[in-house]
Amino acid sequence: LFVGLIVPHLVRRVAGASIPWLIAFAALLGPVLMLAADVGSRVLLPTGEVPVAIVTAFLGGPVLIWAVRKYGAAPL
């Protein structure tokens, strides 16, 4: 859930108003973010694994709050 919410906010700063570039960059950054969360969840505890959803929530939550506070909500 956090990946789907935060990736478009992060990518919009690079892609600007171009929808095709936004979709292309989001399609690349989403899996990269999930891969980083998976690797982080595997090395976080030496005795086992932390679920990837917990890692993405702890990483994505503050970043999403920061992005919304800094850039505001987009008009509908």
Side-chain angles (χ1 to χ4, degrees):
L1 179 66
F2 283 109
V3 174
L5 292 174
I6 195 61
V7 168
H9 286 289
L10 295 175
V11 172
R12 186 169 302 277
R13 302 299 150 210
V14 176
S18 174
I19 298 298
W21 282 109
L22 177 73
I23 292 171
F25 286 142
L28 291 174
L29 186 63
V32 168
L33 183 64
M34 284 303 296
L35 181 64
D38 184 48
V39 169
S41 70
R42 292 176 190 260
V43 299
L44 195 59
L45 291 178
T47 58
E49 295 181 14
V50 177
V52 175
I54 292 175
V55 174
T56 57
F58 275 109
L59 295 177
V63 174
L64 180 64
I65 292 170
W66 168 79
V68 169
R69 285 184 170 224
K70 181 169 180 160
Y71 301 112
L76 294 176

